[in-house]
Amino acid sequence: MKHEWRKKEKKVYLPKTKPEIVEIPEFKFLTIEGKGSPQNKTFAEYIGVLYSVSYAIKMNLKKEEKRPSGYYDYTVYPLEGIWDITEEAKKAFTGTINKNDLVFKLMIRQPKFVTDDYFNEMVDQTKKRKPHPLLEKLKFEKITDGKCIQMMHMGSYDEEPRSFKLMEGFAEKENLLRISKDHREIYLTDFRKVAPEKLKTVLRFKVESK
């Protein structure tokens, strides 16, 4: 039976539109790091490279001889991003973020049976089939978020501060401290195809007890 994250991992990917505490275990990801505004043309290229290799991994696994131990069919996971601003921008911060000062790590989660060797093989295959210089920046990582506060944000990305304000207020009530100002976003809708007011984005940041 196909593993569909929307049905089987609702706690991770489909929170309610109000803050909640969640424990996020270790997952495997394809990742790529960059800097600048998501409105820049090059930003779409980062996303394209991630999806090229993610679908290469999935489609090649349809060949039985390629399947590693523990294989199961699955739906490709959604795009995620960890966002922060440059150190220079932090020092000069006045309350407003210039999007060109953003730094990001974009990623797509992979099933636990995917190995480093298989990742490297699929990157090499993609370089031959669909070459792109950003393929050199791809990494295969294990990431553990641990204890977090998350919620579903409905609407424009520019309106995310109102959701973060709710999340930080919730953290205060729960006697939890936000570890840093960076945060994770999980994109459940495609901003290229969906009106801003209908966007669905999971917002999440790490916390610890005070």
Side-chain angles (χ1 to χ4, degrees), residues 93-184:
F93 186 67
T94 59
T96 303
I97 293 176
N98 182 329
K99 291 184 179 181
N100 289 319
D101 292 328
L102 291 169
V103 291
F104 54 82
K105 176 184 278 191
L106 299 178
M107 62 191 75
I108 296 176
R109 185 177 152 195
Q110 302 300 309
K112 58 186 177 181
F113 57 76
V114 175
T115 64
D116 292 85
D117 288 343
Y118 188 65
F119 159 72
N120 290 326
E121 182 183 344
M122 290 303 101
V123 170
D124 288 342
Q125 182 186 104
T126 305
K127 285 178 179 178
K128 296 174 183 176
R129 181 178 57 83
K130 195 175 181 181
H132 195 290
L134 284 177
L135 285 165
E136 299 295 337
K137 298 186 69 172
L138 270 185
K139 296 179 181 178
F140 187 52
E141 299 185 68
K142 295 177 181 178
I143 299 175
T144 307
D145 280 355
K147 181 179 283 189
C148 299
I149 289 176
Q150 69 175 14
M151 69 175 285
M152 182 74 76
H153 172 76
M154 306 292 290
S156 168
Y157 302 131
D158 290 335
E159 296 175 358
E160 288 180 358
R162 64 177 166 80
S163 290
F164 282 119
K165 187 175 181 179
L166 288 173
M167 294 164 72
E168 288 170 349
F170 178 77
E172 186 67 28
K173 290 179 182 177
E174 296 293 325
N175 205 34
L176 296 169
L177 183 67
R178 183 173 179 175
I179 294 175
S180 70
K181 284 298 181 182
D182 67 10
H183 68 276
R184 180 182 293 272

